[in-house]
């Protein structure tokens, strides 16, 4: 495939959309909550075949409510996996009248198709005529398909309520009462009908309060709940779901643009780029918005005649630059740690240049335990751990779920733990002085996962002989981490910096690569196992 063809297709047919559902991606439904809600909603729809009702889907902006409605429309009107007609109504700045709602049903493409199926010429000139024709066609369809229903999706409810409150200077609950009253009239007009409101969490709470005070409304509204008896809410994607959303969106795009001969996978996004985007933009709306902007930037670069290297692959660095431009977006995660990580990626060359100057200039040897201990104390303090050091050794602490946990650190010169450390480590674990122990092996060789596993496993088996309690296996609480001499020199060099703010920033940058903090926390929650 020519790259130019790829770019041309991207310009004419974007793979992603945000805020509004991509008309080509209606068939896609990604996410545990969406799949769970789909099953529960089918049961709600079965109920509406007996008695027309109202229901709701709940979630913050960008979590997939609009797309869920369009997926329902696709499954019903296009895929025909459900019998019925789905009409989606976007509220604007006012509550629609029953006449407007009826008109949206009457002119719906799929309702017109239903009329043609039964050789009915739609010629209603007024409200009563149109109501009669709609009811007639719904009853005819019901004769052929017992589970045939009319589903009305009501979107952008939160925006409508806010505008009514601002323009008419009324309370939000009054606006909700009027909205529910209008759609309740629709339920009284048509049989086998379900009205599905797409609600943000704040508007849902207003709906709930209004409904609880009206016995008639309570009988007409059924919201599917989870096992906690609360409405199932759309929310963030899991990591696996984020990859799936990007992958299936690109594959669908490739299919409709006759580019199927390529095994796309996540292309043009690297796995690292998707992971970074998911960490900060974890809702379907925010993730697809960021991915869309990345693709647009790539297309612009490709079309720019001054661009020397024309590549469509999107790296972790390129994703970081797009995320940084969107930092003020309220739908993105605001946690400082995540944005620091983005800063490390963007300024990687700058940080690496600073750290490189420390290598070979520390005049350090393994026997200089004092320098080693003091440097790692500063390192972990910068990562917001607590430090307990003294005659018993060096312990790193952190509070998890209200409980203080401590991991003992042991530094090993090479890949062989001194016998004297076996006994002291076992003694500290047995007495509850520490919750775990991390052995930091300092060598000149880079980490080799397979090789290291066998070395450390044999070491830990030998340590286990020192545990007097034969019914409990403490080896799960023993961890290992290999650091090179260069890693150690970088940490010692940063320790010597006088600027505390820059020192903390560099320590965090180092840990972003070494993942020591993450590993320590995982050790802290690991418990001995019973034999």
């Amino acid at each position: 495939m020519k790259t130019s063809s790829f770019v041309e297709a991207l310009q004419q047919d974007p793979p992603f959309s945000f805020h509004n559902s991509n008309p080509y991606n209606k068939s896609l439904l990604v996410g545990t909550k969406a799949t769970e809600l789909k099953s529960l909603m089918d049961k709600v729809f079965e109920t509406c075949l007996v008695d027309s009702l109202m229901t709701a889907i709940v979630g913050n902006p960008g979590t997939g409510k609009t797309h869920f409605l369009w997926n329902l429309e696709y499954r019903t009107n296009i895929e025909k996996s459900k019998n019925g007609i789905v009409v989606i109504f976007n509220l604007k700045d006012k509550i629609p009248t029953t006449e407007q709602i009826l008109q949206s049903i009457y002119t719906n493409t799929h309702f017109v198709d239903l009329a043609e199926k039964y050789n009915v010429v739609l010629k209603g000139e007024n409200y009563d005529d149109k109501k009669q024709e709609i009811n007639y066609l719904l009853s005819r369809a019901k004769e052929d398909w017992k589970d045939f229903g009319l589903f009305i999706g009501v979107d952008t409810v939160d925006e409508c309520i806010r505008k009514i409150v601002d323009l008419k200077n009324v309370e939000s609950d009054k606006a909700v009462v009027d909205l529910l009253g209008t759609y309740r009239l629709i339920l009284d007009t048509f049989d086998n009908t379900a009205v599905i409101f797409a609600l943000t969490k704040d508007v849902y709470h207003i709906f709930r309060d209004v409904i609880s005070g009206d016995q008639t409304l309570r009988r007409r509204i059924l919201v599917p709940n989870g096992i906690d008896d609360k409405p199932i809410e759309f929310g963030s994607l899991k990591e696996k779901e984020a990859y799936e959303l990007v992958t299936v969106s690109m594959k669908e795009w490739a299919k409709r643009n006759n580019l199927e001969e390529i095994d796309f996978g996540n292309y043009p996004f690297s796995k690292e780029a998707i992971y970074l985007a998911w960490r900060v933009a974890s809702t379907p709306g925010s993730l697809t918005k960021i991915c869309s902007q990345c693709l647009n930037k790539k297309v612009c670069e490709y079309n720019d005649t001054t661009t020397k290297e024309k590549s469509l692959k999107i790296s972790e660095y390129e994703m970081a630059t797009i995320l940084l431009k969107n930092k003020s977006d309220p739908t993105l995660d605001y946690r400082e740690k995540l944005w620091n990580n983005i800063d490390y990626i963007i300024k990687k060359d700058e940080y690496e240049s600073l750290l490189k100057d420390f290598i070979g200039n520390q005049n350090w040897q393994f026997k200089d335990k004092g320098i080693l201990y003091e440097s790692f104390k500063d390192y972990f303090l910068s990562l917001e751990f607590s430090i307990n050091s003294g005659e018993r050794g060096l312990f790193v602490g952190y509070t998890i779920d209200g409980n203080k946990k401590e991991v003992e650190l042991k530094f090993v010169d090479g890949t062989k733990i001194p016998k004297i450390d076996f006994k002291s480590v076992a003694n500290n674990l047995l007495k509850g002085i520490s919750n775990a122990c991390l052995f930091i092996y300092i060598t000149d060789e880079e980490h080799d996962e397979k090789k290291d596993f066998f070395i450390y496993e044999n070491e830990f088996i030998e340590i286990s002989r020192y545990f007097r309690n034969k019914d409990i296996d403490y080896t799960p609480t023993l961890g290992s981490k290999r650091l090179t001499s260069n890693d150690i020199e970088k940490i010692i060099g940063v320790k010597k910096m006088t600027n505390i703010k820059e020192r903390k920033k560099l320590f965090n940058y180092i840990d972003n690569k070494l993942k020591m903090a993450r590993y320590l926390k995982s050790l802290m929650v690991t418990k001995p196992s019973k034999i």
Side-chain angles (χ1 to χ4, degrees), residues 7 11 298-307 310:
V7 172
Q11 290 174 306
K298 276 294 182 182
V299 169
C300 289
E301 289 175 354
Y302 184 85
N303 290 332
D304 186 349
T305 55
T306 63
T307 304
K310 296 181 183 290

Side-chain angles (χ1 to χ4, degrees), residues 6-35:
F6 190 94
V7 172
E8 185 178 345
L10 285 175
Q11 290 174 306
Q12 296 178 358
D13 174 23
F16 304 99
S17 64
F18 48 94
H19 188 64
N20 290 315
S21 183
N22 188 321
Y24 296 112
N25 287 351
K26 292 179 184 179
S27 62
L28 307 180
L29 195 64
V30 176
T32 306
K33 292 294 183 185
T35 305

Side-chain angles (χ1 to χ4, degrees), residues 438-451:
L438 175 61
F439 292 95
I440 299 177
Y441 294 80
I442 303 172
T443 73
D444 289 326
E445 298 179 12
E446 293 291 339
H447 171 71
D448 184 323
E449 187 173 350
K450 290 184 179 179
K451 181 179 177 183

Side-chain angles (χ1 to χ4, degrees), residues 6 26 54 80 168 193 255 302 307 314 318 335 362 366 377 419 432 439 464-465 467 525:
F6 190 94
K26 292 179 184 179
M54 291 182 277
K80 304 296 184 183
K168 295 187 176 182
T193 299
K255 182 179 179 180
Y302 184 85
T307 304
I314 295 170
E318 289 166 317
R335 284 177 291 174
Q362 304 309 318
F366 185 82
K377 282 168 65 175
K419 296 280 185 183
F439 292 95
S464 67
R465 297 171 185 167
F467 294 117
V525 296

Side-chain angles (χ1 to χ4, degrees), residues 401-466:
D401 295 331
N403 299 312
K404 179 70 175 292
K405 305 284 187 179
E406 284 198 330
V407 174
E408 182 179 7
L409 294 189
K410 286 288 186 180
F411 295 94
V412 181
D413 186 11
T415 57
K416 191 71 176 174
I417 303 172
K419 296 280 185 183
I420 191 171
D421 283 341
F422 288 175
K423 189 172 182 180
S424 67
V425 167
N427 187 56
N428 287 338
L429 287 168
L430 285 167
K431 290 184 176 181
I433 295 171
S434 61
N435 299 97
C437 180
L438 175 61
F439 292 95
I440 299 177
Y441 294 80
I442 303 172
T443 73
D444 289 326
E445 298 179 12
E446 293 291 339
H447 171 71
D448 184 323
E449 187 173 350
K450 290 184 179 179
K451 181 179 177 183
D452 289 352
F453 174 79
F454 290 111
I455 292 173
Y456 307 144
E457 184 182 43
N458 291 333
E459 295 273 272
F460 294 164
I461 290 172
E462 194 167 343
I463 292 175
S464 67
R465 297 171 185 167
Y466 286 81

Side-chain angles (χ1 to χ4, degrees), residues 76-198:
T76 307
N77 295 350
I78 309 298
E79 192 179 58
K80 304 296 184 183
S81 61
K82 289 181 64 62
N83 291 319
I85 292 175
V86 174
V87 179
I88 297 178
F89 205 101
N90 281 301
L91 301 183
K92 296 181 180 179
D93 56 356
K94 61 182 180 181
I95 295 171
T97 63
T98 51
E99 288 82 0
Q100 289 171 328
I101 298 171
L102 184 142
Q103 183 65 16
S104 68
I105 299 169
Y106 195 77
T107 56
N108 179 270
T109 302
H110 302 288
F111 181 76
V112 174
D113 291 342
L114 187 68
E116 290 180 0
K117 173 181 173 59
Y118 292 110
N119 299 315
V120 173
V121 178
L122 297 174
K123 54 184 179 180
E125 296 183 357
N126 55 49
Y127 179 85
D128 289 333
D129 289 345
K130 293 175 182 178
K131 180 178 75 172
Q132 186 176 358
E133 288 180 355
I134 293 173
N135 270 321
Y136 171 75
L137 286 170
L138 291 178
S139 64
R140 285 292 306 273
K142 182 74 173 174
E143 292 173 4
D144 291 339
W145 302 285
K146 291 183 179 181
D147 59 347
F148 191 94
L150 172 63
F151 311 110
I152 303 173
V154 187
D155 202 11
T156 60
V157 178
D158 56 320
E159 296 175 27
C160 176
I161 297 299
R162 280 195 296 270
K163 288 178 180 177
I164 290 173
V165 169
D166 291 340
L167 293 173
K168 295 187 176 182
N169 195 27
V170 297
E171 295 296 328
S172 54
D173 56 348
K174 173 64 168 60
V176 169
V177 168
D178 291 344
L179 180 65
L180 289 172
T182 299
Y183 278 97
R184 183 166 59 180
L185 289 174
I186 294 298
L187 298 186
D188 294 336
T189 303
F190 304 118
D191 293 330
N192 313 124
T193 299
V195 176
I196 310 123
F197 295 104

